[in-house]
Amino acid sequence: SSGGASGEDCLQAIVEMAPMLLDDENGLLAIVSEFMNPPSSLQYDPHFAINRGYSLIEKLEHLWNSGNDGTAAASSADGILFTNEFPLSSETYAGRRAVPNDENDLKRWSEHLISCEIHSVSPGLLFVKCHSTQDPMEEKRGGIITLKHFCVPKSTQGSIWTPHNHHALSFTRQMLWQNIL
């Protein structure tokens, strides 16, 4: 299926609909995806963190909040986005997506990523847990989400996607339990 020009259309639709579909008290959303322009732990670089005026975290929060059309009470939530400590540059990503040894395809991928303002890409995990609110003002304006971002440290065992990276598994589990579960 198509993810749209930037590859984010499916992610956008899921995040926009989730507040209206999940249980207000204990609904849990878990997404495995590639995330465009994730924050980096190395250094702040606005090209890596900003995409069309929003940081990735702000963009996800905006999508959650924009899905409420007023016909359903949107859930409030807390969430965590995990991405790799070292996101792939758009050049590296284009090289992995292009047909091997096809310079024209590599050029198309590179130009496409530039046109979509994608400067870096990381595999990631997004977890969101809904909760009810006791704040009447929050209920009037619909649910809000507060997201945290954690870079999963790379180790000698690999990164977030490496199946046997026990360090990444332990880190992810610890951050989930400390922050939203």
Side-chain angles (χ1 to χ4, degrees):
S1 67
S2 173
S6 71
E8 296 179 299
D9 286 1
C10 292
L11 175 66
Q12 178 178 335
I14 292 167
V15 174
E16 284 179 345
M17 290 187 302
M20 294 173 283
L21 299 174
L22 294 172
D23 180 74
D24 286 348
E25 185 58 36
N26 289 309
L28 182 64
L29 175 68
I31 297 175
V32 177
S33 187
E34 291 180 327
F35 292 90
M36 311 305 158
N37 301 326
S40 171
S41 67
L42 296 177
Q43 61 185 15
Y44 178 75
D45 180 337
H47 287 284
F48 285 144
I50 303 297
N51 185 22
R52 298 190 178 126
Y54 290 107
S55 74
L56 177 58
I57 297 299
E58 290 170 330
K59 184 178 183 178
L60 291 167
E61 289 174 338
H62 175 75
L63 291 172
W64 180 274
N65 297 330
S66 69
N68 184 9
D69 62 3
T71 61
S75 301
S76 293
D78 295 308
I80 298 178
L81 172 64
F82 294 99
T83 59
N84 274 342
E85 182 177 17
F86 305 106
L88 297 174
S89 69
S90 58
E91 295 84 14
T92 301
Y93 186 77
R96 291 185 178 185
R97 292 291 174 247
V99 173
N101 302 315
D102 185 338
E103 290 301 316
N104 289 330
D105 196 41
L106 177 60
K107 183 179 178 185
R108 277 190 297 275
W109 268 101
S110 296
E111 289 172 354
H112 176 72
L113 293 171
I114 289 168
S115 73
C116 291
E117 298 180 33
I118 296 172
H119 307 282
S120 63
V121 180
S122 175
L125 309 169
L126 175 63
F127 294 93
V128 178
K129 184 170 186 191
C130 298
H131 57 80
S132 60
T133 178
Q134 304 301 320
D135 181 355
M137 291 305 291
E138 189 176 316
E139 284 182 13
K140 283 184 181 177
R141 59 177 194 267
I144 59 170
I145 187 171
T146 303
L147 284 176
K148 295 180 181 177
H149 174 257
F150 292 101
C151 290
V152 176
K154 184 172 182 170
S155 72
T156 56
Q157 295 178 343
S159 63
I160 196 172
W161 272 170
T162 310
H164 302 292
N165 184 350
H166 299 288
H167 296 291
L169 293 172
S170 293
F171 177 84
T172 303
R173 184 180 309 116
Q174 180 182 6
M175 292 301 107
L176 281 171
W177 281 107
Q178 287 178 358
N179 291 280
I180 66 168
L181 295 179

